[in-house]
Amino acid sequence: MTTILLVHGAIADGSSWAKVIPMLQAAGHDVVAVQQPLSSIPDDVAKVRGALDELDGPVVVVGHSFGGVVITQAAHDAPQVSALVYVAAFAPDGGESAATLGEPFGQLPSASHFEVDKQARFTLPHELFPQYFCPDVAPEEARVLAAVQGPSDTARFGFVSGPPAWPEHPCHYVVAEDDRIIPPDLERFVAERMGAATVSVPGAGHLVMVSRPRAVADVILAAAR
């Protein structure tokens, strides 16, 4: 049996995977969804690596959005990992940050709408969250997701990656074709660079695992085979 470790992104939490988890469990897999502190990338990496070190292999590690930065660090030199799955995620190489990785692709309109609080943590305004973060999610559900945002440190954009895990493991990638947070062209670029088995989901927004859980679950299950 393969264990599947799910890693959420910024301004989110483990409930991002709520629709995918039952599909993975129904296929016979044990599933762990980490709740990261979102206080810094090193803090998030420590949380995920701690969870990973408790698991025997094989383990498929899945990261969404900034969770891609986290798993790129946390799964490095982890022999129990059998595959990595990136879901609309950053996948930096050594010496890269999310900011430098994104520079060639320009900024999407959402970038100008993030709000920063007195503790230097960012979120999206509740009224704009559905439009940018999950435009293909039902409005009532999108409003709930906006309300439960996990404020995240702004310094994570500049975090410089160490040695990456993705050259060490088989990789899969889910491209969200209508992503309004991470440019889809960036997603395609990192997927191609890592040689990932790639699935593109037409019309899917950034929270593709919420709006298209079957498509995401199928990619994770393929990685677990």
Side-chain angles (χ1 to χ4, degrees):
M1 180 183 69
T2 300
T3 301
I4 298 169
L5 184 67
L6 301 172
V7 179
H8 64 79
I11 62 171
D13 64 14
S15 68
S16 301
W17 304 103
K19 294 181 180 180
V20 172
I21 290 171
M23 298 177 184
L24 305 178
Q25 291 172 332
H29 299 293
D30 190 23
V31 182
V32 177
V34 182
Q35 298 283 4
Q36 291 128 243
L38 302 178
S39 47
S40 71
I41 291 292
D43 290 347
D44 291 351
V45 170
K47 183 78 171 183
V48 172
R49 184 63 188 230
L52 180 58
D53 285 346
E54 294 295 322
L55 302 174
D56 296 323
V59 182
V60 172
V61 183
V62 186
H64 172 248
S65 192
F66 258 108
V69 179
V70 175
I71 70 170
T72 295
Q73 303 301 293
H76 170 58
D77 197 23
Q80 71 273 48
V81 174
S82 60
L84 300 175
V85 180
Y86 290 81
V87 179
F90 295 111
D93 202 350
E96 286 181 340
S97 67
T100 59
L101 182 57
E103 280 176 3
F105 302 93
Q107 285 195 337
L108 296 174
S110 60
S112 64
H113 294 290
F114 287 105
E115 294 182 337
V116 180
D117 67 15
K118 295 176 182 178
Q119 299 175 63
R121 304 176 307 175
F122 69 95
T123 55
L124 272 171
H126 288 189
E127 68 274 13
L128 296 179
F129 187 95
Q131 175 183 347
Y132 291 117
F133 217 73
C134 51
D136 54 337
V137 171
E140 182 178 352
E141 184 177 11
R143 288 193 294 270
V144 172
L145 293 167
V148 301
Q149 288 179 79
S152 306
D153 68 300
T154 55
R156 67 184 48 230
F157 289 95
F159 172 84
V160 177
S161 180
W166 50 261
E168 305 167 355
H169 309 288
C171 294
H172 298 249
Y173 200 104
V174 178
V175 174
E177 292 285 358
D178 190 28
D179 199 325
R180 302 178 188 182
I181 299 296
I182 297 178
D185 284 345
L186 186 159
E187 297 176 13
R188 285 186 279 268
F189 166 76
V190 295
E192 182 177 359
R193 181 173 68 175
M194 70 174 71
T198 303
V199 171
S200 293
V201 185
H206 191 57
L207 280 180
V208 58
M209 66 280 210
V210 176
S211 63
R212 316 292 174 88
R214 183 74 262 171
V216 173
D218 284 347
V219 172
I220 297 171
L221 292 172
R225 293 191 187 109

